[in-house]
Amino acid sequence: MPVRMQMEQLQRVARLCAALEWVTTCPDLDTKDAVLQLIGEEVSATIQGVIYAVESKGGGGAEMA
């Protein structure tokens, strides 16, 4: 996966995190729970995609620690 695509995925996570600000002001608890679940799933999927891309290039491991 090109670095550009990885950056796009990370920017997507940043936008989702910004959505958390809206969630904190949402008065409806059911809506808040549903949106938090959705944001969590999206962030997790995006992060897993980046991790997979880095590891598939051989970039994972002790040298990244």
Side-chain angles (χ1 to χ4, degrees):
M1 177 179 292
V3 172
R4 180 185 58 80
M5 292 178 73
Q6 292 173 15
M7 289 303 298
E8 288 173 2
Q9 286 182 319
L10 292 173
Q11 289 169 347
R12 182 175 181 212
V13 170
R15 287 189 301 273
L16 288 167
C17 289
L20 289 174
E21 290 180 33
W22 176 85
V23 170
T24 61
T25 63
C26 181
D28 184 332
L29 292 178
D30 290 334
T31 300
K32 185 182 281 192
D33 288 345
V35 173
L36 283 174
Q37 173 106 17
L38 177 64
I39 290 171
E41 290 171 3
E42 290 292 321
V43 168
S44 179
T46 301
I47 290 171
Q48 289 302 316
V50 172
I51 290 170
Y52 174 79
V54 170
E55 288 178 342
S56 69
K57 286 186 170 184
E63 68 274 5
M64 292 189 69

